Amino acid sequence: MEEWTRKDLLGLQELDSKEIELILQTAASFKEISTRAVKKVPTLRGKTIVLFFFEPSTRTRSSFELAAKRLSADTLSIATSSSAIQKGETLKDTFKNIEAMQVDCIIIRHSSSGVAHVLAKCMGPSIINAGDGCHEHPTQALLDIFTIKEKKGHIKGLNVSIIGDISHSRVARSNIWGLTKLGANVTVCGPKTLLPKDIEKMPVKVTTDLAEGMKGADVINVLRIQKERQKAGLFPSLREYAMRFGVTTEKLKNYAKEDVMIMHPGPMNRGIEITPDVADGKYSVILEQVTNGIAVRMAVLYLVLQAGDDEQQEQQ
Ligand code: CP
Protein backbone atom coordinates (compact mmCIF):
# COMPACT_ATOMS: atom_id res chain seq x y z
CA MET A 1 0.00 0.00 0.00
CA GLU A 2 1.14 3.56 -0.78
CA GLU A 3 2.61 5.46 2.21
CA TRP A 4 1.03 8.71 3.41
CA THR A 5 3.70 11.39 3.99
CA ARG A 6 1.78 14.67 4.34
CA LYS A 7 1.47 16.33 7.74
CA ASP A 8 -1.46 18.46 6.50
CA LEU A 9 -4.53 18.05 4.32
CA LEU A 10 -5.12 21.34 2.55
CA GLY A 11 -6.80 20.43 -0.74
CA LEU A 12 -7.25 17.76 -3.37
CA GLN A 13 -5.52 19.75 -6.12
CA GLU A 14 -2.13 18.87 -4.65
CA LEU A 15 -2.87 15.16 -4.05
CA ASP A 16 -2.23 12.43 -6.60
CA SER A 17 -4.64 9.60 -7.34
CA LYS A 18 -2.73 7.14 -5.12
CA GLU A 19 -3.00 9.44 -2.12
CA ILE A 20 -6.74 9.87 -2.69
CA GLU A 21 -7.15 6.09 -3.05
CA LEU A 22 -5.22 5.58 0.20
CA ILE A 23 -7.61 7.88 2.09
CA LEU A 24 -10.61 6.03 0.60
CA GLN A 25 -9.17 2.60 1.51
CA THR A 26 -8.35 3.76 5.05
CA ALA A 27 -11.87 5.20 5.42
CA ALA A 28 -13.38 1.88 4.29
CA SER A 29 -11.46 0.09 7.05
CA PHE A 30 -12.65 2.61 9.67
CA LYS A 31 -16.33 2.67 8.64
CA GLU A 32 -17.28 -0.43 10.62
CA ILE A 33 -16.19 1.15 13.95
CA SER A 34 -19.21 3.48 13.89
CA THR A 35 -21.60 0.50 13.67
CA ARG A 36 -20.30 -1.09 16.91
CA ALA A 37 -22.09 -0.84 20.25
CA VAL A 38 -18.92 0.76 21.64
CA LYS A 39 -17.88 3.16 18.91
CA LYS A 40 -14.31 3.74 19.99
CA VAL A 41 -10.81 2.47 19.23
CA PRO A 42 -7.58 3.62 20.92
CA THR A 43 -5.77 4.60 17.68
CA LEU A 44 -5.26 8.30 18.51
CA ARG A 45 -5.20 8.06 22.32
CA GLY A 46 -3.12 10.91 23.76
CA LYS A 47 -3.51 13.16 20.70
CA THR A 48 -5.14 16.60 21.00
CA ILE A 49 -7.21 17.94 18.13
CA VAL A 50 -8.46 21.54 18.01
CA LEU A 51 -11.48 22.59 15.95
CA PHE A 52 -11.42 26.25 14.95
CA PHE A 53 -14.43 27.21 12.83
CA PHE A 54 -14.70 30.85 11.77
CA GLU A 55 -17.88 30.11 9.78
CA PRO A 56 -21.05 28.23 10.76
CA SER A 57 -21.07 24.45 10.30
CA THR A 58 -23.28 21.56 11.31
CA ARG A 59 -21.94 18.57 9.37
CA THR A 60 -18.20 19.18 9.04
CA ARG A 61 -17.62 20.30 12.60
CA SER A 62 -19.62 17.57 14.32
CA SER A 63 -18.31 14.94 11.93
CA PHE A 64 -14.67 15.85 12.66
CA GLU A 65 -15.38 15.93 16.40
CA LEU A 66 -17.04 12.51 16.35
CA ALA A 67 -14.27 11.11 14.13
CA ALA A 68 -11.62 12.32 16.59
CA LYS A 69 -13.55 10.97 19.61
CA ARG A 70 -14.10 7.57 17.96
CA LEU A 71 -10.31 7.35 17.58
CA SER A 72 -9.94 8.30 21.30
CA ALA A 73 -8.31 11.70 20.66
CA ASP A 74 -9.03 14.65 22.98
CA THR A 75 -10.86 17.49 21.25
CA LEU A 76 -11.15 21.20 21.92
CA SER A 77 -13.63 23.41 20.04
CA ILE A 78 -12.88 27.13 19.97
CA ALA A 79 -15.71 29.49 19.10
CA THR A 80 -14.51 32.62 17.29
CA SER A 81 -17.15 34.67 19.09
CA SER A 82 -15.41 34.01 22.42
CA SER A 83 -11.80 33.92 21.21
CA ALA A 84 -9.24 36.71 21.65
CA ILE A 85 -9.50 37.42 17.90
CA GLN A 86 -12.46 39.58 18.97
CA LYS A 87 -9.96 41.71 20.95
CA GLY A 88 -7.79 42.29 17.89
CA GLU A 89 -5.32 39.40 18.18
CA THR A 90 -3.98 38.32 14.78
CA LEU A 91 -4.84 34.92 13.39
CA LYS A 92 -1.15 33.95 13.44
CA ASP A 93 -0.74 34.93 17.10
CA THR A 94 -3.89 33.03 18.05
CA PHE A 95 -2.64 29.91 16.31
CA LYS A 96 0.90 30.23 17.72
CA ASN A 97 -0.67 30.31 21.23
CA ILE A 98 -2.70 27.19 20.45
CA GLU A 99 0.46 25.53 19.14
CA ALA A 100 2.28 26.44 22.38
CA MET A 101 -0.25 24.26 24.23
CA GLN A 102 1.28 21.20 22.52
CA VAL A 103 -1.69 20.28 20.36
CA ASP A 104 -1.26 17.78 17.53
CA CYS A 105 -3.77 18.89 14.93
CA ILE A 106 -5.83 21.98 14.09
CA ILE A 107 -8.91 21.76 11.89
CA ILE A 108 -9.81 25.13 10.44
CA ARG A 109 -12.73 26.59 8.49
CA HIS A 110 -12.31 30.17 7.35
CA SER A 111 -13.99 32.53 4.89
CA SER A 112 -10.67 33.48 3.25
CA SER A 113 -9.18 31.22 0.58
CA GLY A 114 -5.66 30.05 1.43
CA VAL A 115 -5.77 30.50 5.23
CA ALA A 116 -5.08 26.80 5.88
CA HIS A 117 -2.10 26.88 3.47
CA VAL A 118 -0.60 29.93 5.20
CA LEU A 119 -0.97 28.34 8.65
CA ALA A 120 0.47 25.00 7.51
CA LYS A 121 3.69 26.77 6.45
CA CYS A 122 4.34 28.27 9.89
CA MET A 123 2.85 25.70 12.29
CA GLY A 124 4.14 22.44 13.74
CA PRO A 125 0.76 20.69 14.30
CA SER A 126 -1.08 19.08 11.38
CA ILE A 127 -3.47 21.49 9.68
CA ILE A 128 -6.67 20.22 8.08
CA ASN A 129 -8.66 22.49 5.81
CA ALA A 130 -12.37 22.21 6.69
CA GLY A 131 -13.30 24.75 3.97
CA ASP A 132 -11.47 27.93 2.97
CA GLY A 133 -13.48 30.62 1.19
CA CYS A 134 -14.34 29.60 -2.38
CA HIS A 135 -11.17 27.52 -2.66
CA GLU A 136 -11.39 23.91 -1.35
CA HIS A 137 -13.31 21.66 1.03
CA PRO A 138 -11.24 18.49 0.68
CA THR A 139 -12.97 16.24 3.22
CA GLN A 140 -16.41 17.01 1.71
CA ALA A 141 -15.17 15.92 -1.73
CA LEU A 142 -13.51 12.84 -0.24
CA LEU A 143 -16.72 11.75 1.44
CA ASP A 144 -18.62 12.44 -1.79
CA ILE A 145 -16.15 10.31 -3.77
CA PHE A 146 -16.21 7.58 -1.08
CA THR A 147 -20.02 7.47 -1.32
CA ILE A 148 -19.98 7.30 -5.12
CA LYS A 149 -17.40 4.49 -5.06
CA GLU A 150 -19.34 2.58 -2.40
CA LYS A 151 -22.57 2.80 -4.41
CA LYS A 152 -21.26 2.46 -7.98
CA GLY A 153 -18.24 0.23 -7.28
CA HIS A 154 -15.77 2.46 -9.14
CA ILE A 155 -15.05 6.07 -10.14
CA LYS A 156 -13.19 5.71 -13.44
CA GLY A 157 -15.44 6.37 -16.44
CA LEU A 158 -18.43 7.61 -14.43
CA ASN A 159 -20.22 10.78 -15.55
CA VAL A 160 -20.65 13.16 -12.64
CA SER A 161 -22.56 16.43 -13.03
CA ILE A 162 -22.21 19.22 -10.50
CA ILE A 163 -25.15 21.62 -10.71
CA GLY A 164 -25.52 25.06 -9.15
CA ASP A 165 -23.29 27.89 -7.96
CA ILE A 166 -19.93 26.60 -9.18
CA SER A 167 -18.23 29.98 -8.89
CA HIS A 168 -18.44 30.28 -5.12
CA SER A 169 -18.27 26.58 -4.31
CA ARG A 170 -15.26 25.07 -2.58
CA VAL A 171 -17.13 21.74 -2.70
CA ALA A 172 -17.25 21.94 -6.52
CA ARG A 173 -13.52 22.67 -6.81
CA SER A 174 -12.45 19.84 -4.50
CA ASN A 175 -14.83 17.42 -6.26
CA ILE A 176 -13.51 18.43 -9.69
CA TRP A 177 -9.89 17.78 -8.65
CA GLY A 178 -10.61 14.53 -6.82
CA LEU A 179 -13.01 12.99 -9.32
CA THR A 180 -10.97 13.80 -12.43
CA LYS A 181 -7.76 12.47 -10.82
CA LEU A 182 -9.60 9.16 -10.35
CA GLY A 183 -10.79 9.13 -13.98
CA ALA A 184 -14.40 10.40 -13.78
CA ASN A 185 -15.87 12.68 -16.46
CA VAL A 186 -17.10 15.82 -14.71
CA THR A 187 -19.65 18.28 -16.10
CA VAL A 188 -20.43 21.56 -14.36
CA CYS A 189 -23.78 23.24 -14.96
CA GLY A 190 -25.25 26.52 -13.77
CA PRO A 191 -26.16 30.03 -14.86
CA LYS A 192 -23.32 31.78 -16.70
CA THR A 193 -23.03 34.29 -13.85
CA LEU A 194 -22.36 31.44 -11.37
CA LEU A 195 -19.61 29.77 -13.41
CA PRO A 196 -16.00 30.79 -12.65
CA LYS A 197 -14.28 32.93 -15.30
CA ASP A 198 -11.36 30.52 -15.58
CA ILE A 199 -13.52 27.37 -15.69
CA GLU A 200 -12.08 26.36 -19.10
CA LYS A 201 -8.72 25.83 -17.35
CA MET A 202 -10.27 23.04 -15.27
CA PRO A 203 -10.65 19.50 -16.64
CA VAL A 204 -14.46 19.68 -16.97
CA LYS A 205 -17.24 20.02 -19.53
CA VAL A 206 -19.26 23.20 -19.02
CA THR A 207 -22.93 23.87 -19.77
CA THR A 208 -25.59 26.42 -18.87
CA ASP A 209 -28.36 24.06 -20.05
CA LEU A 210 -29.77 21.87 -17.25
CA ALA A 211 -31.06 19.21 -19.68
CA GLU A 212 -27.53 18.85 -21.08
CA GLY A 213 -26.06 18.86 -17.58
CA MET A 214 -28.33 15.99 -16.54
CA LYS A 215 -28.09 13.92 -19.71
CA GLY A 216 -26.02 10.76 -19.29
CA ALA A 217 -25.06 11.58 -15.69
CA ASP A 218 -24.50 8.61 -13.37
CA VAL A 219 -24.31 11.02 -10.44
CA ILE A 220 -25.75 14.50 -9.96
CA ASN A 221 -24.27 16.56 -7.13
CA VAL A 222 -26.58 19.50 -6.41
CA LEU A 223 -24.99 22.54 -4.78
CA ARG A 224 -26.52 24.97 -2.34
CA ILE A 225 -27.61 28.20 -3.94
CA GLN A 226 -26.00 30.85 -1.79
CA LYS A 227 -28.92 33.21 -1.20
CA GLU A 228 -26.55 36.00 -0.21
CA ARG A 229 -25.35 36.07 -3.86
CA GLN A 230 -28.77 37.27 -4.98
CA LYS A 231 -28.00 40.73 -3.59
CA ALA A 232 -25.04 40.92 -6.00
CA GLY A 233 -27.45 40.44 -8.94
CA LEU A 234 -25.91 37.15 -10.06
CA PHE A 235 -29.35 35.69 -10.79
CA PRO A 236 -32.71 37.45 -11.13
CA SER A 237 -34.68 35.69 -8.37
CA LEU A 238 -34.76 32.47 -6.36
CA ARG A 239 -38.02 31.59 -8.14
CA GLU A 240 -36.41 31.89 -11.55
CA TYR A 241 -33.34 29.95 -10.38
CA ALA A 242 -35.60 27.15 -9.08
CA MET A 243 -37.47 27.06 -12.40
CA ARG A 244 -34.33 26.91 -14.57
CA PHE A 245 -31.85 24.99 -12.41
CA GLY A 246 -33.81 23.42 -9.55
CA VAL A 247 -33.59 19.61 -9.62
CA THR A 248 -37.11 18.18 -9.65
CA THR A 249 -38.55 14.70 -10.19
CA GLU A 250 -40.06 15.86 -13.48
CA LYS A 251 -36.73 17.15 -14.85
CA LEU A 252 -34.97 13.96 -13.74
CA LYS A 253 -37.63 11.87 -15.52
CA ASN A 254 -37.28 13.96 -18.69
CA TYR A 255 -33.51 14.33 -18.88
CA ALA A 256 -31.58 12.02 -16.52
CA LYS A 257 -30.66 8.32 -16.47
CA GLU A 258 -33.22 6.17 -14.68
CA ASP A 259 -30.83 5.15 -11.87
CA VAL A 260 -29.09 8.50 -11.42
CA MET A 261 -27.64 9.00 -7.93
CA ILE A 262 -28.51 12.31 -6.22
CA MET A 263 -26.07 14.01 -3.86
CA HIS A 264 -26.01 17.30 -1.96
CA PRO A 265 -23.28 18.44 0.47
CA GLY A 266 -25.78 20.32 2.64
CA PRO A 267 -27.12 22.55 3.96
CA MET A 268 -30.01 22.28 1.47
CA ASN A 269 -32.47 24.95 0.40
CA ARG A 270 -35.46 22.67 -0.14
CA GLY A 271 -37.65 23.93 -2.96
CA ILE A 272 -34.86 26.03 -4.52
CA GLU A 273 -31.95 23.94 -5.85
CA ILE A 274 -33.66 20.63 -5.01
CA THR A 275 -37.26 19.62 -4.33
CA PRO A 276 -38.04 17.67 -1.12
CA ASP A 277 -39.20 14.60 -3.11
CA VAL A 278 -35.81 14.42 -4.85
CA ALA A 279 -33.86 15.11 -1.64
CA ASP A 280 -35.74 12.36 0.20
CA GLY A 281 -36.31 10.10 -2.81
CA LYS A 282 -35.00 6.62 -3.51
CA TYR A 283 -31.97 7.80 -5.52
CA SER A 284 -30.83 10.27 -2.88
CA VAL A 285 -27.70 9.36 -0.87
CA ILE A 286 -27.56 12.66 1.02
CA LEU A 287 -27.67 11.18 4.53
CA GLU A 288 -25.30 8.36 3.53
CA GLN A 289 -22.83 11.10 2.57
CA VAL A 290 -23.08 12.38 6.14
CA THR A 291 -22.56 8.89 7.61
CA ASN A 292 -19.51 8.33 5.39
CA GLY A 293 -18.09 11.70 6.42
CA ILE A 294 -17.12 10.27 9.80
CA ALA A 295 -15.14 7.35 8.32
CA VAL A 296 -13.41 9.66 5.84
CA ARG A 297 -12.46 12.14 8.56
CA MET A 298 -11.23 9.31 10.82
CA ALA A 299 -8.98 8.25 7.93
CA VAL A 300 -7.68 11.79 7.35
CA LEU A 301 -6.96 12.35 11.07
CA TYR A 302 -5.19 9.00 11.34
CA LEU A 303 -3.03 9.55 8.24
CA VAL A 304 -1.95 13.15 8.92
CA LEU A 305 -1.18 12.47 12.59
CA GLN A 306 0.86 9.39 11.72
CA ALA A 307 2.82 11.45 9.14
CA GLY A 308 3.29 14.22 11.73
CA ASP A 309 4.77 11.67 14.17
CA ASP A 310 7.14 10.35 11.46
CA GLU A 311 8.27 13.92 10.65
CA GLN A 312 8.99 14.63 14.35
CA GLN A 313 10.99 11.38 14.73
CA GLU A 314 13.11 12.28 11.71
CA GLN A 315 13.89 15.70 13.23
CA GLN A 316 15.05 14.17 16.56
N1 CP B 1 -21.22 20.33 3.78
C1 CP B 1 -20.83 21.18 4.75
O1 CP B 1 -19.70 21.69 4.73
O2 CP B 1 -21.77 21.40 5.70
P1 CP B 1 -21.56 22.32 7.00
O3 CP B 1 -21.44 23.74 6.52
O4 CP B 1 -22.76 22.09 7.86
O5 CP B 1 -20.28 21.89 7.66
Side-chain angles (χ1 to χ4, degrees):
M1 201 191 260
E2 185 77 5
E3 283 251 332
W4 181 267
T5 54
R6 293 177 192 268
K7 168 181 87 66
D8 312 298
L9 178 71
L10 306 175
L12 297 195
Q13 187 174 6
E14 52 261 41
L15 300 193
D16 63 29
S17 59
K18 285 187 177 153
E19 290 174 300
I20 297 171
E21 290 283 13
L22 178 59
I23 298 172
L24 301 179
Q25 281 165 25
T26 311
S29 70
F30 278 132
K31 185 166 173 180
E32 173 272 329
I33 294 166
S34 294
T35 65
R36 296 182 192 171
V38 179
K39 300 172 179 58
K40 219 174 180 66
V41 290
T43 315
L44 294 184
R45 194 161 55 200
K47 298 290 185 194
T48 307
I49 295 172
V50 178
L51 297 111
F52 217 136
F53 277 59
F54 291 82
E55 281 184 348
S57 167
T58 300
R59 282 147 287 268
T60 313
R61 184 178 177 146
S62 44
S63 177
F64 264 120
E65 191 161 347
L66 285 174
K69 285 183 158 66
R70 287 182 189 175
L71 293 173
S72 300
D74 296 314
T75 61
L76 171 70
S77 269
I78 303 176
T80 37
S81 57
S82 56
S83 81
I85 285 175
Q86 302 298 333
K87 298 180 191 166
E89 185 172 61
T90 66
L91 198 62
K92 190 173 170 189
D93 280 338
T94 297
F95 277 84
K96 281 285 169 194
N97 278 272
I98 302 291
E99 182 181 29
M101 296 180 209
Q102 314 288 330
V103 307
D104 300 289
C105 177
I106 301 174
I107 300 163
I108 178 168
R109 170 171 286 190
H110 200 280
S111 57
S112 298
S113 299
V115 162
H117 287 72
V118 172
L119 290 173
K121 282 201 183 103
C122 62
M123 302 277 292
S126 291
I127 302 291
I128 298 177
N129 181 5
D132 62 327
C134 303
H135 179 229
E136 282 227 35
H137 190 347
T139 56
Q140 178 65 47
L142 287 164
L143 73 89
D144 293 342
I145 296 168
F146 182 93
T147 306
I148 298 171
K149 195 170 177 194
E150 189 174 64
K151 290 278 164 194
K152 300 279 181 187
H154 62 104
I155 300 294
K156 198 173 163 64
L158 285 180
N159 298 319
V160 181
S161 287
I162 305 174
I163 296 175
D165 179 358
I166 311 297
S167 229
H168 303 95
S169 176
R170 51 198 179 204
V171 175
R173 279 176 186 73
S174 289
N175 264 281
I176 290 169
W177 294 123
L179 285 165
T180 54
K181 279 167 200 250
L182 298 188
N185 309 307
V186 177
T187 298
V188 295
C189 173
K192 204 167 185 319
T193 48
L194 295 180
L195 293 171
K197 283 192 184 68
D198 56 354
I199 189 70
E200 69 281 354
K201 291 188 190 144
M202 298 191 92
V204 293
K205 188 178 148 194
V206 184
T207 180
T208 55
D209 175 3
L210 186 68
E212 198 186 331
M214 285 182 166
K215 198 173 159 202
D218 299 294
V219 178
I220 291 178
N221 198 346
V222 188
L223 299 179
R224 179 174 81 90
I225 191 72
Q226 301 182 22
K227 290 181 189 164
E228 56 276 21
R229 307 286 169 211
Q230 210 190 336
K231 292 190 199 101
L234 295 176
F235 54 95
S237 70
L238 290 172
R239 199 160 158 261
E240 184 169 329
Y241 182 87
M243 269 167 56
R244 280 197 60 204
F245 291 97
V247 175
T248 65
T249 300
E250 194 189 355
K251 288 178 197 164
L252 289 172
K253 260 191 205 147
N254 289 339
Y255 310 131
K257 274 180 155 177
E258 223 172 280
D259 64 343
V260 66
M261 193 169 116
I262 303 295
M263 309 182 84
H264 193 304
M268 280 186 280
N269 297 301
R270 287 172 178 265
I272 300 177
E273 71 265 9
I274 190 165
T275 52
D277 53 334
V278 175
D280 305 327
K282 64 176 175 177
Y283 299 118
S284 167
V285 295
I286 294 168
L287 291 178
E288 286 165 76
Q289 289 172 257
V290 177
T291 302
N292 288 333
I294 296 186
V296 164
R297 290 177 174 120
M298 287 167 88
V300 168
L301 290 171
Y302 167 72
L303 291 169
V304 298
L305 284 165
Q306 193 188 45
D309 282 351
D310 293 346
E311 200 173 282
Q312 267 182 5
Q313 272 168 16
E314 273 169 30
Q315 282 163 7
Q316 280 165 8

